[in-house]
Amino acid sequence: MSEDTGFLSKQMHPYLVIFSGQAFSLFGSRLVQFALVWYLTSQTGSAQVLATASIAAIIPQVVLAPFAGAFVDRWNRKRVMMVSDSLIAATVLVLAGLFVIDRVEVWYIYVVMLIRSTGAAFQWPAMQASTSMMVPREQLPRIAGLNQSLQGLVSIVAPPLGAVLLEMFPIEYVIAVDVLTAIMAVGPLVFIAVPQPERKDLSARGVLSDMREGFSWIWSKKSLVQIMMISLVINMVTNPAFSLLPLLVTDYFNGGAIELAWIQSANGLGMILGGLALGVWGGFKSKSKTAFSAITVAGLGLLGFSQTPGSLLWLGICFVFIFGFMNSIGNSSFMTVLQTMIPHEMQGRVFTLVMATSIAVAPLGLTIAGPVAERLGVRSWFLVSGFVIVAGALFGLFSPGIKSFEQALSESEES
């Protein structure tokens, strides 16, 4: 009799408990992030301060990611997650204490964001690498879909709840929520075993050697390089588009904060339902086909949004919902492809390299998008983004290299 590997099977219980704790931690982190950004906005009203805070939240995940991945592959991943969550919580607790005694300076918040981002640079790859060892291969698409739904739910719930809490309580009470949610994330890890990959003898080589091995492994897999390049280009055009969304709402749709919230909520709701849909469906047998097909439709949704008449905001909201829905399925499937392509003992390094390259192109995209939007209008960038997404996804969908690699991987695991 074959072992039960269903989504709610006994084999899945340990992972689902850990996942639930991490979900609470994610919620607490997003709520605190909103509270700190709002505090900086209300206290300074400075765009430069907000930009600096954003940079502080990005830099560690770009600079430290390759090193973090190498250490994650060397260290016990369960301990990495516990220490990372605990470090983030301790930092927030110190900041809450400074708020209590009214000794907070703006640069303190920059430091907190740097430390929180540093912890995330270790925590995220450790969790992703552990997922592929705790979850049966056939359930990975459903877990990835559940993750996307969680991201969408948190993006909808955390900001308004944070705003309500800031109206009711002092900010030190609000950010202390992150401490409670971190306890909920670390607690299950104390009692649940997390499998570790078999490791070679590492005593004769250093972390830099591990990093070079990670780079070499990626470079030797041309199909993975193609996926990373496609993802990089798509992120470079998509992130600036949604950064410019407030201008499109005010200048083109003649709307305000409520209209912007409707559009953002449509994207978040699409993420939730798309992740749930993939969780139920599971995707095509070929996960790369699932990913690139979904991203193609997401790009068409963005193209439709770029061509929506200014008087038909409701239609634009529908197109953004389509984008969020299909983008959720695409991103979830990409994660499944990576989790099945990458050897367990190298997942920390490769995941962090993928994450770092995706984040690093955001400033470049903004640098290009600003002048283009100034000269041709914000709609033009959404139009460019839609075309680039569709073109990149179609290239990936029909790439012989990606298709043959995934087929060979599937055959090797079945044999």
Side-chain angles (χ1 to χ4, degrees):
M1 184 178 294
S2 61
E3 183 180 2
D4 181 12
T5 59
F7 189 77
L8 297 178
S9 65
K10 184 177 293 187
Q11 183 179 346
M12 288 287 294
H13 287 176
Y15 176 81
L16 292 176
V17 172
I18 293 175
F19 176 86
S20 299
Q22 294 297 318
F24 282 110
S25 179
L26 174 64
F27 176 79
S29 296
R30 290 288 179 85
L31 191 147
V32 168
Q33 187 74 8
F34 174 84
L36 293 179
V37 168
W38 181 251
Y39 174 82
L40 292 175
T41 302
S42 61
Q43 294 296 310
T44 70
S46 169
Q48 184 60 47
V49 167
L50 293 179
T52 304
S54 298
I55 292 171
I58 289 176
I59 283 179
Q61 297 192 42
V62 175
V63 176
L64 296 179
F67 299 94
F71 281 118
V72 164
D73 285 337
R74 281 174 164 254
W75 294 341
N76 183 292
R77 291 168 179 174
K78 169 180 171 177
R79 292 174 187 166
V80 170
M81 289 187 283
M82 293 175 66
V83 171
S84 298
D85 278 325
S86 299
L87 174 65
I88 293 171
T91 305
V92 171
L93 189 60
V94 171
L95 182 62
L98 291 172
F99 272 114
V100 170
I101 62 176
D102 197 23
R103 296 290 299 274
V104 172
E105 302 286 345
V106 169
W107 71 269
Y108 292 175
I109 297 179
Y110 295 160
V111 173
V112 168
M113 289 186 168
L114 277 168
I115 296 174
R116 287 169 58 84
S117 181
T118 299
F122 285 86
Q123 194 275 343
W124 183 83
M127 181 64 186
Q128 296 304 319
S130 299
T131 297
S132 62
M133 296 198 68
M134 298 185 72
V135 176
R137 176 184 169 90
E138 63 270 19
Q139 298 300 333
L140 286 174
R142 293 183 169 85
I143 290 297
L146 190 60
N147 265 303
Q148 285 294 306
S149 295
L150 175 63
Q151 295 282 345
L153 179 63
V154 169
S155 68
I156 291 176
V157 175
L161 180 59
V164 170
L165 292 177
L166 285 171
E167 289 290 327
M168 298 172 61
F169 303 104
I171 187 171
E172 55 265 28
Y173 291 173
V174 177
I175 64 176
V177 170
D178 200 24
V179 179
L180 297 177
T181 55
I183 292 173
M184 298 173 74
V186 174
L189 288 169
V190 175
F191 304 101
I192 295 177
V194 176
Q196 303 298 311
E198 293 184 10
R199 295 179 175 88
K200 303 172 184 176
D201 182 15
L202 301 175
S203 59
R205 51 191 251 188
V207 172
L208 292 179
S209 296
D210 287 353
M211 290 171 57
R212 284 194 295 271
E213 185 181 31
F215 277 109
S216 298
W217 188 89
I218 291 175
W219 191 250
S220 69
K221 303 295 183 288
K222 299 306 179 185
S223 56
L224 179 57
V225 173
Q226 288 181 10
I227 291 174
M228 289 179 63
M229 291 299 102
I230 294 169
S231 176
L232 186 148
V233 173
I234 288 176
N235 283 329
M236 189 174 69
V237 298
T238 305
N239 291 337
F242 282 91
S243 297
L244 297 170
L245 183 59
L247 292 176
L248 186 68
V249 170
T250 56
D251 297 345
Y252 181 69
F253 289 109
N254 297 316
I258 293 178
E259 286 75 18
L260 176 61
W262 287 346
I263 294 175
Q264 290 177 331
S265 295
N267 185 42
L269 181 62
M271 288 178 62
I272 294 172
L273 296 181
L276 291 175
L278 183 63
V280 173
W281 169 39
F284 300 121
K285 182 177 180 181
S286 168
K287 302 312 170 193
S288 64
K289 178 181 178 181
T290 306
F292 289 119
S293 298
I295 295 296
T296 300
V297 180
L300 293 174
L302 208 58
L303 280 174
F305 180 63
S306 73
Q307 299 304 300
T308 300
S311 59
L312 298 178
L313 177 63
W314 65 268
L315 181 60
I317 291 173
C318 292
F319 279 124
V320 171
F321 172 82
I322 292 171
F323 172 84
F325 185 93
M326 302 309 297
N327 194 46
S328 177
I329 293 177
N331 285 337
S332 302
S333 301
F334 273 132
M335 183 56 64
T336 304
V337 170
L338 292 177
Q339 287 172 328
T340 52
M341 286 176 66
I342 307 166
H344 291 305
E345 68 275 10
M346 299 190 69
Q347 288 195 0
R349 282 165 282 180
V350 177
F351 277 135
T352 50
L353 289 171
V354 172
M355 177 181 68
T357 54
S358 297
I359 296 174
V361 296
L364 175 60
L366 284 165
T367 301
I368 299 172
V372 171
E374 286 286 338
R375 178 167 298 187
L376 303 177
V378 177
R379 286 179 69 204
S380 65
W381 189 259
F382 276 89
L383 182 65
V384 169
S385 299
F387 274 122
V388 170
I389 291 171
V390 171
L394 288 176
F395 175 83
L397 186 61
F398 294 105
S399 168
I402 295 176
K403 190 179 301 184
S404 61
F405 181 84
E406 188 177 28
Q407 183 178 358
L409 181 69
S410 177
E411 291 174 353
S412 66
E413 292 196 347
E414 290 175 358
S415 61

